Amino acid sequence: MQTFIYTWKRWSFGYKFLLNIILAGMFLFVSVTIRNPAAPRALAYNYLREAVKKSIYFKTWGWNTLEGEHFLLKYQDKDANVARLVLAAAEEAYRPVNEALDYRPVEKIPVIIYPDKAALNKSFGWDADENAMGVYWAGVIRITSPNDWVQDKKHLAQEFMQNGPITHEYAHLVVDYLTRGNYPRWLTEGVAQYLEREVTGFQFPAVEVKDKREFYGFKQMDGLFDTLPNQALAYSQSLAAVEYYIERYGFDSLQGLLLSLGQGKDLHHAFLLNTGRGLDQFEEDFQKWFMATLKSAKAG
């Protein structure tokens, strides 16, 4: 009987302690939500990102591992010949991208090399005809092995360093962490292309627009980016929008925009705070600038 009473008291104490912890957590959650309504979404996204990273580590548990100063690389035996090359490209992108966006990661970043595009697509459950060389999602950079897409094997290292996806995908990662997942697709694509060009010199061919009716709206490019019929135009517009932003308001303002998004501001108010123009006004200004730039280029 005494043992039962002792056990019951110990269980009762533990139950009350756990209940107090839950209530305190709920109180903290409600307090934070009232002060910053975006905080719960950011917190949930952080948990999702960490869960995805742990899932990737689990799925690639038996793969080879190569650890650098700032990155942790996972690859299969057939890609042993390019593992150090990929790691070198990642380390080379690390400092210039971080310095540009004033960001410092707190842990090593996972990079997964998939032997071919089919394997990369399968990791996301995509159709086999998807053609991505690299993808950033939820804290992890995934790339297709250069063995699969570089045609000139004699110059494989040079081709990968100049045209590979590492810098582009790492820039996506930094934008994601700075904004805590609160960003539109066109903005991160524009920033990634801009920094990729600054670091490696690579740029997709520009797409000419004859009439502003051909433009994709920012809302279209946010929600439907990957399904837009003219992908080249979507990427070209994204880069041009970031170029215009920097030309008009400066790179420091772009950093401020990303930080405002990270603080939970919606896109309109983040633009208003950092440029004095709302999102719709910025979009209208950008389209006029872009068309004027095209006319000027033709006249020259």
Side-chain angles (χ1 to χ4, degrees):
M1 184 64 177
Q2 288 180 338
T3 301
F4 172 78
I5 293 174
Y6 172 74
T7 303
W8 182 85
K9 285 183 177 180
R10 186 171 61 178
W11 178 86
S12 179
F13 173 79
Y15 172 77
K16 290 179 180 179
F17 178 76
L18 179 61
L19 182 60
N20 287 334
I21 291 293
I22 293 172
L23 290 173
M26 291 176 64
F27 177 77
L28 179 62
F29 179 83
V30 171
S31 299
V32 171
T33 301
I34 292 173
R35 294 178 183 179
N36 184 2
R41 184 178 63 180
L43 184 62
Y45 180 72
N46 287 341
Y47 277 120
L48 170 65
R49 189 164 53 199
E50 292 307 307
V52 170
K53 287 166 65 175
K54 287 179 172 58
S55 172
I56 284 293
Y57 283 129
F58 177 77
K59 290 177 180 178
T60 59
W61 184 261
W63 293 29
N64 300 311
T65 301
L66 181 62
E67 195 166 348
E69 185 178 359
H70 304 108
F71 294 86
L72 190 133
L73 192 71
K74 304 284 284 185
Y75 63 97
Q76 298 183 40
D77 290 344
K78 62 176 67 178
D79 291 314
N81 67 312
V82 295
R84 292 195 177 279
L85 170 64
V86 172
L87 183 60
E91 295 289 357
E92 189 168 309
Y94 184 85
R95 193 165 88 174
V97 173
N98 288 345
E99 288 180 351
L101 297 178
D102 194 22
Y103 175 73
R104 296 294 179 273
V106 297
E107 60 184 5
K108 291 188 177 182
I109 298 145
V111 178
I112 316 297
I113 303 177
Y114 290 89
D116 51 44
K117 291 174 184 176
L120 175 62
N121 292 343
K122 186 178 179 181
S123 74
F124 284 102
W126 291 348
D127 294 335
D129 59 353
E130 290 291 337
N131 203 33
M133 289 197 309
V135 179
Y136 165 75
W137 187 62
V140 181
I141 295 172
R142 311 187 204 197
I143 70 164
T144 300
S145 169
N147 286 326
D148 183 60
W149 60 266
V150 175
Q151 300 299 316
D152 185 359
K153 303 304 181 186
K154 291 182 179 179
H155 300 94
L156 185 146
Q158 180 181 354
E159 176 75 10
F160 182 75
M161 294 297 285
Q162 291 180 350
N163 300 322
I166 287 290
T167 302
H168 186 98
E169 302 309 331
Y170 182 60
H172 279 312
L173 180 145
V174 173
V175 169
D176 184 40
Y177 275 86
L178 280 174
T179 62
R180 302 168 76 187
N182 181 30
Y183 57 86
R185 177 70 183 277
W186 65 265
L187 179 60
T188 187
E189 288 298 348
V191 171
Q193 289 179 81
Y194 182 88
L195 291 176
E196 181 178 30
R197 185 180 64 194
E198 294 297 301
V199 175
T200 71
F202 176 82
Q203 181 178 342
F204 295 115
V207 177
E208 184 173 325
V209 179
K210 297 178 181 179
D211 189 294
K212 73 175 186 178
R213 286 175 296 182
E214 297 179 33
F215 270 83
Y216 290 126
F218 284 162
K219 289 182 180 179
Q220 281 180 290
M221 290 201 296
D222 186 17
L224 303 171
F225 197 98
D226 292 314
T227 60
L228 294 173
N230 192 339
Q231 285 288 289
L233 177 58
Y235 276 92
S236 187
Q237 275 189 229
S238 297
L239 174 59
V242 170
E243 288 177 323
Y244 169 69
Y245 189 107
I246 294 170
E247 180 180 309
R248 178 78 181 271
Y249 303 104
F251 202 91
D252 288 347
S253 177
L254 180 65
Q255 292 175 329
L257 177 71
L258 298 177
L259 291 177
S260 295
L261 293 171
Q263 293 165 358
K265 301 284 192 303
D266 63 55
L267 195 59
H268 172 77
H269 287 94
F271 265 87
L272 201 58
L273 182 64
N274 289 279
T275 69
R277 306 283 282 175
L279 180 60
D280 291 341
Q281 293 172 312
F282 173 83
E283 184 172 7
E284 184 178 342
D285 293 344
F286 160 61
Q287 289 185 3
K288 291 178 181 177
W289 170 87
F290 191 75
M291 297 304 297
T293 302
L294 284 178
K295 289 179 181 178
S296 177
K298 287 180 180 180

